[in-house]
Amino acid sequence: MFVFEVLIYAFFAWVMYGLARKSYIRTLNTNRQYKMDRYLWMFIGFYVLICAVRYGVGVDSIKYASAFKHGEKYIGKQNEGEFIWNGFISIIAENGIHFTVGMAICAFLQILPIVLILRTQKHVLRYLPIVLFGSMYFLILNNGVRQMIVACWFLYATKWIVERKILNYIFFILISHYIHSSSIVLVPLYFLYNVGELSSKRKLCISILLACLVIGVVPQFQLSIGRFEDIMEMIGYDSYTDRMAEALLGENENKQAFGLQKMSYFISFFAITYFGKELNETYKYENKYFNIWWFYGFCYGCLYFLIGGRSYLFQRPLMYIVLFSMIMISYLLKYLKHKAGIQSDIMSKFLIVSMWLSISWQIIKAMDLRKSETETVTYKTIINHDIK
């Protein structure tokens, strides 16, 4: 049964990889290299389909489906200020539209900006499904769905940061704020447009990553981060503060251990940090957004081990930059796959195996009925299931 569950995700990755690969091959040496062709639309459509018909995949997924079915205005604490999201829920629920349509639209709004921004990098896009399903990114996208819609469009909005189109960025923030109020944290990121080539400073970046890893497990530091509770409430995470108490009281220590999943994360983050210089030299000229993408991906890795691994509450604001690490791992896979030599091939395979150990370990835990909280890891459809 475990093998079957893993093969489901492997199948998803294989289908989307194949579609992206066909799009890449089809457009080689043509004037339509950067266009959206039928294979990319099929790539998007497949993702939308598996997200629309999923059942209980992602901690909040059933709540979202229930909202679309019954018309609850908000997932968690009601916030009338997020009227775009509330209005979207009302349109689906009050017009008798099946809840899967609402789930499908959410999935479409997630995958579309990712494909749009990477359509000029199709050689990288084809490796993205391996990372998406092998690590925890698919589950992250299907958990905080509303926030991840904003996060996906922030990936696209980095073009306006680099190109200094402040009006476009302000419009993006305004729309996002009425979908998820915490998106206000993205405002200062506009001023981080000139991050330089930090990726080329290998020793410095590795030192920072290791320092965050060490400091993040120091008990005194873990207790001190409780002071940020008020800040978390101010930016829209007040409904999650009860989880902070659980973490700070040590009742959640089993989730903070440096186990197989976190080891998988560390290998991935360390890899994109270590190979940052090579990636920068290879891709900075063909992708003018590369440096800022790498910077955000690196920041996510550091902050995850510094504060995010301590409590789910602290992971929430970090979700706005989590996709940049996914993109950078995809770049690294492409780099290693196309670099001649047995050593690169071995490193590529090692990175893929280490990533897939993450989802595999979660599935193993989900197979244990005593750990029902991980049930949301295994893929299930609405067939034979009902949304109450």
Side-chain angles (χ1 to χ4, degrees), residues 35-59:
K35 301 296 183 179
M36 292 286 293
D37 57 32
R38 68 174 181 270
Y39 292 112
L40 289 188
W41 286 114
M42 291 169 65
F43 182 96
I44 292 173
F46 182 81
Y47 178 84
V48 170
L49 174 64
I50 63 176
C51 290
V53 300
R54 77 187 191 277
Y55 176 84
V57 182
V59 177

Side-chain angles (χ1 to χ4, degrees), residues 285-304:
Y285 296 109
E286 67 177 65
N287 180 8
K288 61 183 177 180
Y289 315 124
F290 177 83
N291 281 323
I292 196 169
W293 287 2
W294 186 93
F295 175 73
Y296 287 143
F298 171 71
C299 287
Y300 175 78
C302 292
L303 291 173
Y304 174 83

Side-chain angles (χ1 to χ4, degrees), residues 33 43 65 261:
Q33 185 172 355
F43 182 96
Q261 182 177 334

Side-chain angles (χ1 to χ4, degrees), residues 95-248:
N95 289 280
I97 302 173
H98 199 272
F99 68 87
T100 55
V101 176
M103 303 291 274
I105 293 174
C106 288
F108 177 77
L109 292 175
Q110 287 182 344
I111 195 66
L112 178 64
I114 297 175
V115 175
L116 286 177
I117 200 67
L118 285 176
R119 72 184 186 278
T120 62
Q121 303 282 293
K122 292 180 182 179
H123 56 297
V124 175
L125 179 63
R126 59 179 172 157
Y127 291 102
L128 186 138
I130 300 174
V131 186
L132 175 65
F133 294 103
S135 194
M136 301 297 290
Y137 297 102
F138 178 70
L139 295 174
I140 291 173
L141 285 166
N142 285 285
N143 179 22
V145 174
R146 185 165 52 98
Q147 181 176 345
M148 290 311 298
I149 289 175
V150 177
C152 290
W153 282 100
F154 175 61
L155 174 64
Y156 186 83
T158 53
K159 64 179 296 183
W160 298 323
I161 296 178
V162 174
E163 296 169 3
R164 311 310 297 150
K165 295 182 178 179
I166 189 170
L167 293 180
N168 294 32
Y169 193 75
I170 290 175
F171 180 74
F172 158 71
I173 293 295
L174 287 175
I175 296 297
S176 300
H177 181 69
Y178 296 124
I179 297 175
H180 200 291
S181 59
S182 68
S183 59
I184 195 71
V185 302
L186 298 175
V187 171
L189 297 187
Y190 180 81
F191 303 99
L192 293 178
Y193 67 96
N194 188 16
V195 296
E197 297 185 359
L198 183 64
S199 55
S200 298
K201 299 176 173 59
R202 176 180 290 149
K203 292 183 179 179
L204 173 62
C205 292
I206 290 178
S207 298
I208 294 173
L209 179 63
L210 293 177
C212 291
L213 175 65
V214 173
I215 295 173
V217 297
V218 174
Q220 291 81 358
F221 176 78
Q222 292 178 353
L223 291 174
S224 68
I225 60 177
R227 301 173 184 174
F228 292 96
E229 179 177 354
D230 293 339
I231 297 177
M232 299 298 286
E233 292 183 357
M234 288 173 56
I235 62 176
Y237 294 111
D238 46 316
S239 60
Y240 298 95
T241 52
D242 56 328
R243 303 181 188 182
M244 178 181 291
E246 178 187 2
L248 296 180

